[in-house]
Amino acid sequence: MVRLGLPPPAGDGGGGADAASGLLVGLLRASADPRMYPAEDPSGSCGERLHSVLRGAVRSLLGSARRGFAASCGDGGGLEYEAWISVVSVRVADALSDLGAGTSGPPGASSGGSPVPPEPRQDEDDEDGVLPLSMAVLRLDVSESGTYCADLAGLRLALAEAGLRKQLDDVDDWPERIASRLKNYPDALSAPSGKEGDGEGASPSLLARTFRTAMTGLAASEVAFDFVRENKESFLDCPPFFLSASVLAGECACSAAGMFWRAARDRRRPSAALEDGDGTEAGNAAGGAGPGEDFAPEQYDAVHDLAGRIASHSRDLEKGYAVVTSSHLQRTKEYNTRLSKKVGNVDRGRQRGEGGRSSKR
């Protein structure tokens, strides 16, 4: 694990936050550069894979940022930290959109006097450079070595959403489309959720913010899948774009649903937040809802319904083309096959009674 000794990002009037943002952008840009990840030996001097080292640095940076906001904000810094993640995710999406395609590898050893042709690097035919962004989202493993990191999960969701808005720029009314889907769940959105502090100006509780963030992520994923389905022929003409859009929409859904179900589980297990955090009060608060809190039945139903719809969309895309003409289309088909099963686990988890609910209610 890489440890970075950073000053509190919000403790110096904003300068630290800007520095932390720049460093986060640089780390994620390095991890996504298509000229790096197919390397023959991507290990560091300690034997760790390069991307594992970079991911450890990102995780440490996020923890430092959360502690900085907690130290400088009277309400614990949760809202400020989440706002910072949203802003920096847009910067990361912009920074990862000009890396271009992968390049050919170095020439191989000579054979009979003639050099062996260079090994092709992954995605070197991605002329528009759309894949580095989606691959960066995939590499943000939130449970590396079996240890869940809520900060990485939040960044992964925010970056997937920002990536969708960046790449599907023909959708110019994202807020309206997301809102139209959320309107289908008025009871869930108006369910009692608690407040942090007293008075009319009190902030929504962590539980309420988790539900709203998860629902917004699921709705954004469905907007993206609908757009891809409506314009399938255009996406089939650009297989790398098809793959990238599918991955970003899919990981947006998985991250959102995972965040919700993790919080539902954690509210039954007071030690879970401690396991997910970094040993500090601010870090532990990122782990999920505290004991005694729970989502309303309508909220469980809403997440279940949206996740089920997205699983159906991914199955439709998987079956939407009979002839696979490129490696990217094959990867898209395989990804959507896995996604429909992965998101479908939300339903199976609910039937097992996860989150304290029963399928018989």
Side-chain angles (χ1 to χ4, degrees):
M1 176 65 68
V2 175
R3 295 290 180 184
L4 300 179
L6 297 175
D12 60 354
D18 289 341
S21 298
L23 183 53
L24 183 60
V25 170
L27 288 170
L28 290 173
R29 182 178 170 90
S31 73
D33 193 327
R35 295 166 295 182
M36 292 178 61
Y37 60 77
E40 295 270 341
D41 181 16
S43 300
S45 58
C46 298
E48 292 183 273
R49 291 182 63 84
L50 175 60
H51 294 297
S52 179
V53 173
L54 291 172
R55 184 166 50 241
V58 169
R59 180 172 180 164
S60 294
L61 175 58
L62 294 176
S64 176
R66 182 177 285 280
R67 290 190 296 274
F69 282 110
S72 61
C73 300
D75 63 350
L79 289 171
E80 289 78 7
Y81 172 81
E82 291 160 15
W84 175 71
I85 286 292
S86 296
V87 171
V88 77
S89 294
V90 174
R91 287 186 57 183
V92 172
D94 289 340
L96 269 54
S97 296
D98 64 351
L99 289 172
T103 58
S104 296
S110 298
S111 175
S114 300
V116 175
E119 287 293 326
R121 300 259 177 160
Q122 188 176 2
D123 301 328
E124 66 174 320
D125 56 343
D126 176 22
E127 297 178 357
D128 294 324
V130 297
L131 285 168
L133 177 53
S134 55
M135 296 301 107
V137 172
L138 275 178
R139 290 191 198 96
L140 282 174
D141 186 355
V142 301
S143 298
E144 187 180 23
S145 303
T147 303
Y148 179 82
C149 179
D151 287 332
L152 276 179
L155 175 62
R156 197 171 196 254
L157 173 56
L159 183 55
E161 276 195 67
L164 285 173
R165 296 182 185 229
K166 177 71 177 180
Q167 293 195 351
L168 304 184
D169 54 1
D170 286 342
V171 181
D172 56 5
D173 56 348
W174 278 99
E176 292 79 7
R177 295 195 187 202
I178 290 174
S180 70
R181 283 158 175 79
L182 294 180
K183 286 179 181 178
N184 294 325
Y185 308 100
D187 293 339
L189 293 172
S190 61
S193 55
K195 299 282 186 180
E196 290 181 348
D198 300 318
E200 294 184 359
S203 303
S205 69
L206 175 61
L207 198 73
R209 299 202 308 271
T210 298
F211 174 70
R212 171 65 71 165
T213 300
M215 286 293 289
T216 301
L218 287 166
S221 175
E222 188 178 32
V223 169
F225 274 119
D226 280 345
F227 182 79
V228 172
R229 189 183 67 251
E230 293 165 2
N231 299 275
K232 185 177 64 178
E233 295 304 320
S234 296
F235 280 92
L236 288 173
D237 289 338
C238 185
F241 193 30
F242 191 14
L243 174 59
S244 184
S246 296
V247 168
L248 288 172
E251 296 310 304
C252 189
C254 289
S255 298
M259 176 182 292
F260 175 85
W261 289 105
R262 184 78 187 193
R265 190 213 68 177
D266 285 357
R267 65 94 196 167
R268 295 176 295 153
R269 209 157 56 90
S271 62
L274 181 62
E275 295 169 5
D276 298 342
D278 57 8
T280 67
E281 182 177 355
N284 297 339
E293 294 182 288
D294 195 7
F295 295 107
E298 296 83 1
Q299 293 174 322
Y300 282 95
D301 288 339
V303 171
H304 160 69
D305 182 67
L306 259 179
R309 290 163 63 92
I310 290 166
S312 177
H313 290 324
S314 65
R315 285 192 295 269
D316 290 343
L317 281 182
E318 172 199 349
K319 300 172 183 177
Y321 46 98
V323 179
V324 176
T325 58
S326 76
S327 63
H328 294 106
L329 289 181
Q330 181 63 37
R331 289 162 65 190
T332 304
K333 193 176 187 72
E334 292 172 353
Y335 176 81
N336 280 307
T337 299
R338 294 192 302 271
L339 178 66
S340 62
K341 296 177 181 178
K342 186 175 181 179
V343 178
N345 284 336
V346 171
D347 187 23
R348 286 190 287 275
R350 178 173 176 265
Q351 291 174 356
R352 290 194 303 268
E354 289 186 6
R357 297 296 165 190
S358 169
S359 60
K360 295 181 181 180
R361 61 177 174 77

